[in-house]
């Protein structure tokens, strides 16, 4: 097998990138800006080339102009560097292609030969920024068109299917052409700086290593709130809902990173094996727990930041009697020795007051309490991990209140690590920059393995089936609120509350 050449330059391997869906929203908003940033930072090899593929008939020059415009829109002015834009745009080519028919794919192999100045074998990275229904056809056609070899990799976006069965069909179709070791399933949350920091925080700090279990942690809270609604994606979202769109992938990945045992090393499979154990240990919801422990919601019209916004059923293209949920809150648990008896409270919703993703680890109280009885509720530490915005970590600790008249009154205060002030020079890269770089380097640890997808679907499918049997519509919540009142009741019935320090 031909290894990717230039081993002396492993940090910037040469690749040919074939980007399917080159004029789609994901490519324009995320992928070109991410690739541009990599280029600007010197992380794209000079010989790396990018071929945009889409159905539209567009000349290569017009395509390059379109990408230049998109950079002007989605990259901050202070980060738009004329020379870097010019260099990046010069890497681009365009090929009009009907993805579903095999004819035409040979042109990809021809393009690769045409743009190469030497005879080395470089990996072809195929990025499928297209609906999952096309993944199988594209993979088969790439093979029939003799575009692939043993170095080729494929990158696929979520959602991988709609349920367990459809995810198997999609994975089978990709798997007929690519082995698992060359399939990169994106969950963009895994590329976020703070999400990766969970691994460093947990496994590099002995302080947390010794405390990270049911003896010391009382409960875990994860909130992923979005201010946006469905952004013109009614067709996709109404079929999916917030459970499939956000919980099946992003929130469960966060649960895995919080709950998993230490991997033996940082190899992709060592990490993914541990994550799969958590997904297998996630408790299914029994019928009698469903009403107590899960709340589905759907937003109605409301106000965000002083601006009126429509309800879900009034969104563009809406079907007026949809029961799709735009909010989910749940209390779940991981049935193993480390986490027995520790609830994981998860909530995620659209049209909430803030864009906010955070994880709160609530530590247990001391076994014997000696301070003011009125302050007993205060007396526990919390670790607050803020994923976005304002990435940072804070440990809430108790100290004595100052002042001569306060006696031994306690007060809470944070030990605070705010990334942007602690490390001011460093730009926090977008998740896609890191993920694209890892694909180029051929490292899979930030990508989701097939069994992870399947176990996550198993768990979600059982919840969706239970909802269906129950037949209750989602509870309404006004846009701009933190979800249905029932989601607050869900946690207060356990004598707790959502952490609200924003
Ligand atoms: C996507 C979902 O995977 O994640 C969107 O399909 C959601 O509905 C988005 O808005 C949220 O990502 P982020 O990075 O903005 O939190």
């Amino acid at each position: 097998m031909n290894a990717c050449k230039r081993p002396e330059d492993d940090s910037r391997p040469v690749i040919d990138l074939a980007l399917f869906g080159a004029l789609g929203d994901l490519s324009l908003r995320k992928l070109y800006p991410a690739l541009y940033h990599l280029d600007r930072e010197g992380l794209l090899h000079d010989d790396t080339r990018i071929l945009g593929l889409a159905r539209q008939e567009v000349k290569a020059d017009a395509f390059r102009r379109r990408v230049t415009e998109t950079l002007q829109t989605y990259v901050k002015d202070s980060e738009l560097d004329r020379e870097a834009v010019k260099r990046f745009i010069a890497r681009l080519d365009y090929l009009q292609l009907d993805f579903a028919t095999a004819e035409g794919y040979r042109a990809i192999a021809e393009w690769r030969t045409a743009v190469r100045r030497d005879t080395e074998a470089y990996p072809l990275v195929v990025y499928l920024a297209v609906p999952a229904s096309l993944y199988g056809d594209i993979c088969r056609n790439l093979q029939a068109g003799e575009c692939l070899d043993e170095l080729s990799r494929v990158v696929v976006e979520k959602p991988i299917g709609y349920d367990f069965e459809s995810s198997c069909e999609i994975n089978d179709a990709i798997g007929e052409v690519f082995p698992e070791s060359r399939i990169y399933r994106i969950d963009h949350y895994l590329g976020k700086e703070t999400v990766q920091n969970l691994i460093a925080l947990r496994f590099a700090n002995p302080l947390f290593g010794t405390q990270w279990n049911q003896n010391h942690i009382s409960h875990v809270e994860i909130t992923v709130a979005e201010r946006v609604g469905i952004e013109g994606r009614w067709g996709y979202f109404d079929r999916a809902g917030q459970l499939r769109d956000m919980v099946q992938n992003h929130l469960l990945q966060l649960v895995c990173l919080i709950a998993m045992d230490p991997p033996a090393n940082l190899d992709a499979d060592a990490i993914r094996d541990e994550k799969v154990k958590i997904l297998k240990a996630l408790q299914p919801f029994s019928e009698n727990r469903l009403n107590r422990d899960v709340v589905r919601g759907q937003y109605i019209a409301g106000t965000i930041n002083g601006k009126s916004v429509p309800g879900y059923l009034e969104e563009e293209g809406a079907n007026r009697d949809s029961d799709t949920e735009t909010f989910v809150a749940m209390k779940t648990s991981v049935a193993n020795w480390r986490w027995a008896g520790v609830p994981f409270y998860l909530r995620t919703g659209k049209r909430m007051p803030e864009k906010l993703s955070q994880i709160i680890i609530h530590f247990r109280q001391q076994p014997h309490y000696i301070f003011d009885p009125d302050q007993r509720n205060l007396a526990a530490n919390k670790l607050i991990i803020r994923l976005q915005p304002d990435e940072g970590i804070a440990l809430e600790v108790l100290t004595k209140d100052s002042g001569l008249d306060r006696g031994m009154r306690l007060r809470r205060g944070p030990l605070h690590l705010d990334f942007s002030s602690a490390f001011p020079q460093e730009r926090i890269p977008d998740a896609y920059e890191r993920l694209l770089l890892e694909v180029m380097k051929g490292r899979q640890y930030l990508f989701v393995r097939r069994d992870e997808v399947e176990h996550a679907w198993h768990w979600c499918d059982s919840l969706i089936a239970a909802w269906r049997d129950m037949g209750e519509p989602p509870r309404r919540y006004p846009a701009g609120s933190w979800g249905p009142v029932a989601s607050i009741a869900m946690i207060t019935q356990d004598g707790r509350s959502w952490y609200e320090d924003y």
Side-chain angles (χ1 to χ4, degrees):
M1 180 169 117
N2 283 321
C4 175
K5 292 297 165 119
R6 303 172 200 262
E8 75 283 4
D9 199 6
D10 268 355
S11 61
R12 303 188 319 147
V14 184
I15 60 147
D16 292 334
L17 176 64
L19 178 51
F20 285 75
L23 291 170
D25 200 47
L26 175 70
S27 300
L28 296 173
R29 284 193 322 135
K30 290 287 184 185
L31 302 183
Y32 301 121
L35 287 162
Y36 161 77
H37 277 298
L38 291 177
D39 200 357
R40 181 169 174 259
E41 309 257 328
L43 294 168
L44 290 193
H45 196 286
D46 293 348
D47 289 346
T48 284
R49 297 282 181 272
I50 301 166
L51 179 64
L53 297 129
R55 286 164 209 263
Q56 291 93 318
E57 193 179 336
V58 177
K59 294 262 182 303
D61 276 344
F63 170 65
R64 292 188 194 106
R65 275 198 301 278
R66 181 79 186 85
V67 176
T68 310
E69 282 161 21
T70 211
L71 295 181
Q72 283 157 355
T73 311
Y74 294 111
V75 176
K76 283 190 202 152
D77 285 349
S78 59
E79 292 167 355
L80 263 185
D81 167 348
R82 261 187 91 202
E83 278 310 302
V85 172
K86 211 166 127 195
R87 185 174 65 232
F88 175 66
I89 294 298
R91 298 175 185 278
L92 303 177
D93 266 316
Y94 181 80
L95 182 66
Q96 182 198 1
L97 190 68
D98 175 2
F99 299 161
T101 50
E103 293 140 33
Y105 277 71
R106 270 177 203 282
I108 299 175
E110 285 160 16
W111 167 79
R112 296 191 72 199
T113 314
V115 294
R116 282 285 147 240
R117 287 186 296 271
D118 57 33
T119 53
E120 308 290 3
Y122 300 114
L124 174 68
V125 172
V126 177
Y127 198 120
L128 302 184
V130 296
S133 53
L134 292 172
Y135 292 172
D137 279 348
I138 295 178
C139 290
R140 277 189 294 274
N141 290 338
L142 282 164
Q143 193 170 47
E146 295 177 11
C147 304
L148 305 177
D149 59 24
E150 65 279 26
L151 297 180
S152 311
R153 301 164 200 163
V154 65
V155 185
V156 291
E157 278 285 339
K158 71 159 264 269
I160 310 275
Y162 173 79
D163 53 15
F164 171 73
E165 216 172 298
S166 55
S167 81
C168 289
E169 278 166 26
I170 295 167
N171 281 324
D172 284 347
I174 304 170
E176 277 170 27
V177 177
F178 290 93
E180 185 65 31
S181 61
R182 290 196 269 118
I183 302 173
Y184 292 72
R185 293 183 193 82
I186 293 220
D187 181 316
H188 77 276
Y189 268 54
L190 293 180
K192 289 185 192 273
E193 186 80 7
T194 341
V195 174
Q196 283 179 38
N197 245 317
L198 290 175
I199 293 187
L201 185 75
R202 286 198 51 202
F203 304 127
N205 291 287
L207 174 67
F208 296 127
T210 54
Q211 306 293 303
W212 215 261
N213 57 46
Q214 42 91 12
N215 293 324
H216 303 282
I217 292 177
S218 74
H219 61 290
V220 175
E221 202 186 308
I222 303 181
T223 291
V224 177
E226 298 184 80
R227 194 181 268 174
V228 292
I230 50 160
E231 306 293 282
R233 297 188 303 158
W234 175 273
Y236 154 74
F237 189 86
D238 194 56
R239 185 150 185 261
Q242 195 73 352
L243 184 81
R244 292 185 177 93
D245 187 47
M246 294 295 287
V247 180
Q248 189 272 344
N249 34 75
H250 309 322
L251 273 90
L252 289 188
Q253 285 292 330
L254 296 180
V255 170
C256 287
L257 292 174
I258 290 293
M260 72 192 216
D261 275 355
N265 52 49
L266 288 179
D267 288 353
D269 279 336
I271 295 177
R272 299 189 294 182
D273 287 347
E274 296 304 333
K275 288 200 286 169
V276 164
K277 286 186 203 161
I278 297 302
L279 291 167
K280 283 177 160 171
L282 272 182
Q283 283 296 84
F285 292 92
S286 60
E287 221 175 279
N288 56 356
R289 272 186 47 199
L290 203 61
N291 254 328
R292 246 179 88 97
D293 292 351
V294 187
V295 176
R296 296 172 75 218
Q298 188 188 77
Y299 61 84
I300 53 174
T303 310
I304 300 185
N305 239 3
K307 212 177 131 223
S308 304
V309 295
Y312 178 67
L313 299 181
E314 291 119 41
E315 293 280 8
E316 191 192 328
N319 156 7
R320 290 186 187 256
D321 58 8
S322 164
D323 272 351
T324 297
E325 81 286 349
T326 60
F327 172 97
V328 194
M330 61 177 71
K331 172 183 167 186
T332 184
S333 56
V334 177
N336 65 15
W337 278 43
R338 189 186 281 273
W339 296 110
V342 179
F344 281 67
Y345 298 95
L346 317 182
R347 70 175 166 170
T348 177
K350 309 250 184 259
R351 290 273 196 235
M352 309 204 68
E354 297 285 339
K355 179 169 179 67
L356 173 87
S357 303
Q358 65 182 11
I359 300 170
I360 321 283
I361 311 291
H362 295 259
F363 290 94
R364 287 195 190 282
Q365 299 192 333
Q366 298 283 35
H368 179 60
Y369 179 79
I370 56 173
F371 298 93
D372 183 343
D374 288 350
Q375 291 191 295
R376 187 179 264 278
N377 293 345
L378 272 187
N381 299 122
K382 296 181 187 69
L383 177 67
I384 299 140
I385 305 163
R386 218 174 28 244
L387 308 178
Q388 57 188 18
D390 309 327
E391 293 84 346
I393 295 166
L395 180 64
E396 212 174 85
V397 292
L398 293 152
T399 55
K400 190 190 100 45
D401 207 351
S402 51
L404 293 174
D405 56 344
R406 306 279 160 85
M408 250 309 177
R409 286 210 43 102
L410 300 173
R411 70 174 169 198
R412 282 193 302 204
L415 296 179
H416 205 171
L417 175 62
D418 175 344
F419 289 176
S420 62
S421 33
F423 312 111
Q425 316 306 352
E426 291 167 20
R427 188 180 72 87
I428 297 185
D430 182 72
Y432 277 96
E433 291 173 45
R434 183 177 315 280
L435 294 172
L436 282 160
L437 192 60
E438 294 302 319
V439 177
M440 291 177 198
K441 293 182 180 174
R443 296 201 305 219
Q444 283 189 306
Y445 79 111
L446 294 180
F447 297 87
V448 183
R449 204 169 60 189
R450 177 173 179 156
D451 49 352
E452 290 180 75
V453 176
E454 293 179 355
H455 286 296
W457 273 128
H458 259 311
W459 184 81
C460 285
D461 284 356
S462 71
L463 178 53
I464 291 165
W467 277 344
R468 213 178 18 239
D469 292 348
M470 207 166 66
E472 275 185 23
R475 295 164 194 269
R476 311 296 157 183
Y477 64 96
S481 71
W482 287 98
V485 178
S487 65
I488 297 166
M490 183 193 87
I491 189 165
T492 47
Q493 72 197 354
D494 292 345
R496 297 174 172 136
S497 59
W498 296 103
Y499 180 80
E500 303 208 358
D501 191 24
Y502 19 83

